[in-house]
């Protein structure tokens, strides 16, 4: 089932439940009871619960959005560092230059075509990807510079490989859901309490009030879905993509 279909079903279900509860509640209460007024204390408590839950939702959305942005930046830093390694290898003799570029191309191809799917499914990076990057580092580190030009290029290339390794480690840490379980517990319980407070108000069966109550519950469902969707930066519908690699290494046969 598509995630957007699941979202539509969840929003429709939340709206339908609220409307159904309001209608059943009025049917049980009967027409003789006065529903025109709500005690001031209930209105105040409902308002405060709504404000507190809105703050919690805002912080959660900001947190998952920031995590996704950091994951995107780390991925670009990894791809850019490897692109610079490949470009700076021009100072080496043809045989070693081709070896360095082959190491870079092999690592990038493996990450995009193989490791990315594994990371989205298991929430972690692979040992083979780490070994491929380590091979690139060892090849450059163990070759003594043969000229002044190679000596000048050696440290910048090692720095870029180190940056790529650091960005890879960050990518591994950001893989999988980032929101703690206790936060999800608070978000779900808060949603139930916030929507449940609607029933403490004297909502009548007028179309306007039923529509507003249904839209409010559907909005809560949408915001929770959005947090869940952003919670895993490398999977789901709005995940970070491999575009930095495909843009910087257009000559490779990389998956879109």
């Amino acid at each position: 089932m598509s995630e957007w279909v699941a979202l539509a079903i969840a929003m429709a279900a939340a709206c339908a439940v609220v409307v159904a509860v309001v209608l059943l509640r009025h049917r049980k209460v009967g027409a003789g009871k006065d529903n025109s007024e709500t005690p001031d204390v209930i209105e105040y408590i409902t308002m405060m619960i709504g404000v507190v839950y809105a703050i919690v939702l805002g912080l959660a959305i900001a947190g998952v959005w920031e995590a996704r942005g950091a994951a995107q930046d780390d991925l670009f830093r990894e791809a850019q560092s490897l692109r610079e390694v490949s470009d700076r290898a021009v100072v080496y003799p043809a045989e070693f230059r081709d070896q360095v570029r082959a190491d870079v191309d092999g690592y990038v191809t493996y990450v995009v075509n193989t490791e990315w799917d594994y990371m989205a499914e298991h929430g972690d990076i692979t040992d083979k990807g780490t070994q491929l990057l380590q091979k690139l580092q060892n090849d450059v580190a163990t070759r003594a510079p043969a000229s002044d030009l190679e000596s000048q290029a050696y440290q910048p290339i090692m720095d870029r490989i180190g940056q790529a390794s650091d960005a890879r480690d960050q990518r591994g840490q950001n893989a999988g859901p980032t929101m703690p379980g206790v936060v999800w517990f608070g978000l779900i319980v808060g949603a139930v309490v916030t929507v449940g407070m609607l029933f403490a108000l004297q909502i009548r069966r007028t179309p306007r009030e039923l529509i507003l109550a249904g839209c409010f519950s559907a909005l809560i469902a949408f915001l929770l879905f959005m947090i869940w969707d952003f919670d895993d930066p490398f999977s789901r519908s709005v995940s970070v993509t491999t575009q930095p690699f495909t843009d910087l290494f257009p000559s490779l046969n990389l998956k879109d």
Side-chain angles (χ1 to χ4, degrees), residues 16-29:
V17 167
V18 171
V19 172
V21 170
V22 171
L23 294 177
L24 291 175
R25 179 170 173 268
H26 274 269
R27 180 174 297 180
K28 283 187 175 183
V29 170

Side-chain angles (χ1 to χ4, degrees), residues 106-166:
Y107 172 78
V108 171
T109 302
Y110 176 79
V111 167
V112 176
N113 293 349
T114 304
E115 186 177 58
W116 201 263
D117 293 335
Y118 178 90
M119 185 174 61
E121 182 178 354
H122 297 87
D124 198 5
I125 55 178
T126 64
D127 292 336
K128 182 177 179 180
T130 303
Q131 293 170 2
L132 290 174
L133 189 58
Q134 186 65 44
K135 180 179 183 301
L136 169 64
Q137 187 175 27
N138 291 338
D139 286 345
V140 176
T142 56
R143 184 185 185 278
S147 65
D148 291 339
L149 190 59
E150 291 184 19
S151 298
Q152 295 174 6
Y154 173 80
Q155 192 57 50
I157 290 178
M158 291 299 297
D159 290 342
R160 297 304 182 276
I161 297 176
Q163 291 175 5
S165 179
D166 179 66

Side-chain angles (χ1 to χ4, degrees), residues 22-229:
V22 171
L23 294 177
L24 291 175
R25 179 170 173 268
H26 274 269
R27 180 174 297 180
K28 283 187 175 183
V29 170
K33 187 174 180 178
D34 182 16
N35 291 332
S36 60
E37 294 185 0
T38 300
D40 292 341
V41 65
I42 294 182
E43 291 183 351
Y44 177 77
I45 293 174
T46 302
M47 179 187 68
M48 292 305 299
I49 290 176
V51 170
V52 171
Y53 188 64
I55 294 174
V56 174
L57 275 177
L59 292 175
I61 293 172
V64 294
W65 180 258
E66 183 179 358
R68 183 184 183 278
Q72 182 72 59
D73 293 341
D74 289 335
L75 184 67
F76 179 80
R77 184 159 57 96
E78 182 181 1
Q80 181 65 36
S81 298
L82 292 170
R83 178 73 261 181
E84 292 188 22
V85 170
S86 184
D87 292 340
R88 289 175 182 269
V90 69
V91 301
Y92 291 111
E95 182 179 357
F96 186 71
R97 179 181 65 240
D98 293 343
Q99 179 183 348
V100 170
R101 290 178 174 175
D103 288 342
V104 172
D105 293 347
Y107 172 78
V108 171
T109 302
Y110 176 79
V111 167
V112 176
N113 293 349
T114 304
E115 186 177 58
W116 201 263
D117 293 335
Y118 178 90
M119 185 174 61
E121 182 178 354
H122 297 87
D124 198 5
I125 55 178
T126 64
D127 292 336
K128 182 177 179 180
T130 303
Q131 293 170 2
L132 290 174
L133 189 58
Q134 186 65 44
K135 180 179 183 301
L136 169 64
Q137 187 175 27
N138 291 338
D139 286 345
V140 176
T142 56
R143 184 185 185 278
S147 65
D148 291 339
L149 190 59
E150 291 184 19
S151 298
Q152 295 174 6
Y154 173 80
Q155 192 57 50
I157 290 178
M158 291 299 297
D159 290 342
R160 297 304 182 276
I161 297 176
Q163 291 175 5
S165 179
D166 179 66
R168 173 181 173 79
D169 293 338
Q170 291 296 323
R171 174 161 60 85
Q173 294 177 10
N174 290 328
T178 58
M179 188 77 71
V182 65
V183 177
W184 273 115
F185 177 79
L187 289 173
I188 295 174
V189 171
V192 172
V193 172
T194 303
V195 175
M197 287 302 296
L198 291 175
F199 306 128
L201 302 174
Q202 303 294 345
I203 300 176
R204 293 166 295 182
R205 291 192 301 174
T206 61
R208 180 178 61 182
E209 294 186 13
L210 290 178
I211 290 174
L212 288 176
C215 289
F216 177 76
S217 60
L219 176 62
I220 295 295
F222 170 76
L223 292 176
L224 289 177
F225 173 85
M226 184 172 65
I227 294 172
W228 174 83
D229 210 9

